[in-house]
Amino acid sequence: MKKEGILFQGLCIQEKQRLDFVEEEGFYYNKRNPAKKAEKKYADVTYFLLYIIGKNQMCKNLVQDMETQWRDYLQERARSSIYQGEVFWCSLTGEEKECAEAALGLLEDIRGQEEERAELAWIGFWYLINKGFQEAYCFFKGIPRTTFQVICQRAREKNQERFMGIGYLCMEFLFAEELEVQIEKNGTYPLLYGCMKTCQKMWESCLESEKTK
């Protein structure tokens, strides 16, 4: 099982190419053939995926139908993870929180070191989101490429309440990666990083303030 991509490294928000040379009077100084170096910036999508999954009725139904022992195990894994932002978990209630905890438990096993558990969790996680977000899966399954503008418009249509749009956008990127769909990015794409960092900082703010007391 691969250990790379959005679920492991985060969403690549910025990828710049810079020339590693000093220019002097219009000529390359010392290095006539400068090498390009990539500067990448990633954003953690975990909270965004958990939020959109927790709000999804099909995902909630699937979690409630899980074997009790399996669901309890996943929720316990979630409670021992680093994703304990107080504001985030307070934004979910009842079955939404239980669903998000189960999804986080699956992610913790996927990212863990035990290969057998990771494989099982991978199957469970993809089954959960494929059922819950069938429309998004079908959209990406039938195309080789799309644009950032198109998926943003699709996400805006899902923005019934705060953070739903950006959560759905992260889910779209995840499906696109899995189905190897190319997303052409426009000039506004790097602005997504600041938006995601602001949301994540807000969700974690109470937890961080408690640590500093």
Side-chain angles (χ1 to χ4, degrees):
M1 195 186 97
K2 67 176 184 179
K3 292 285 187 179
E4 58 185 23
I6 292 174
L7 292 182
F8 299 94
Q9 297 158 302
L11 178 61
C12 185
I13 297 295
Q14 186 172 307
E15 185 172 355
K16 291 183 177 179
Q17 296 290 334
R18 67 182 179 85
L19 296 177
D20 187 21
F21 67 92
V22 178
E23 188 174 353
E24 184 175 273
E25 296 180 355
F27 296 93
Y28 295 142
Y29 181 70
N30 289 335
K31 297 185 178 180
R32 295 278 178 175
N33 298 304
K36 291 186 177 181
K37 294 186 178 181
E39 295 178 345
K40 296 185 178 182
K41 187 178 291 184
Y42 294 86
D44 190 340
V45 300
T46 304
Y47 280 129
F48 302 99
L49 293 178
L50 295 181
Y51 187 81
I52 197 75
I53 291 171
K55 293 286 184 178
N56 184 277
Q57 189 59 52
M58 176 61 75
C59 292
K60 287 187 285 187
N61 293 342
L62 290 171
V63 169
Q64 291 303 311
D65 289 341
M66 282 181 177
E67 293 182 4
T68 302
Q69 185 176 2
W70 174 232
R71 185 173 62 245
D72 289 347
Y73 163 77
L74 291 175
Q75 291 172 339
E76 184 60 33
R77 283 283 281 149
R79 291 168 192 142
S80 62
S81 80
I82 63 171
Y83 296 96
Q84 301 301 319
E86 185 177 340
V87 174
F88 173 77
W89 291 108
C90 286
S91 70
L92 302 172
T93 59
E95 290 184 356
E96 294 176 353
K97 184 177 180 180
E98 291 178 2
C99 181
E101 285 178 337
L104 178 54
L106 290 170
L107 288 176
E108 288 295 318
D109 271 0
I110 288 172
R111 294 163 173 169
Q113 301 301 315
E114 295 184 39
E115 196 63 29
E116 187 174 342
R117 285 192 179 277
E119 292 284 356
L120 182 62
W122 183 265
I123 294 170
F125 181 79
W126 280 100
Y127 179 80
L128 183 68
I129 64 173
N130 282 344
K131 289 291 186 179
F133 302 91
Q134 188 69 218
E135 179 191 359
Y137 175 80
C138 291
F139 172 78
F140 286 102
K141 186 177 181 181
I143 57 174
R145 64 180 59 83
T146 188
T147 66
F148 182 58
Q149 183 179 7
V150 168
I151 65 173
C152 280
Q153 180 57 46
R154 287 173 50 83
R156 275 194 290 269
E157 294 171 359
K158 309 296 181 181
N159 198 29
Q160 298 95 342
E161 57 185 279
R162 197 178 186 190
F163 306 125
M164 289 287 282
I166 193 168
Y168 192 83
L169 185 63
C170 291
M171 186 65 71
E172 288 183 305
F173 271 107
L174 187 59
F175 279 126
E177 178 185 82
E178 183 66 12
L179 296 171
E180 299 182 345
V181 176
Q182 180 184 350
I183 298 177
E184 298 172 3
K185 305 174 180 67
N186 64 18
T188 63
Y189 178 67
L191 300 177
L192 181 59
Y193 182 78
C195 181
M196 292 178 70
K197 293 300 288 184
T198 298
C199 293
Q200 187 162 334
K201 185 177 180 180
M202 185 203 70
W203 274 333
E204 295 177 338
S205 59
C206 283
L207 181 65
E208 292 301 320
S209 64
E210 287 296 319
K211 288 180 180 178
T212 57
K213 286 182 179 179

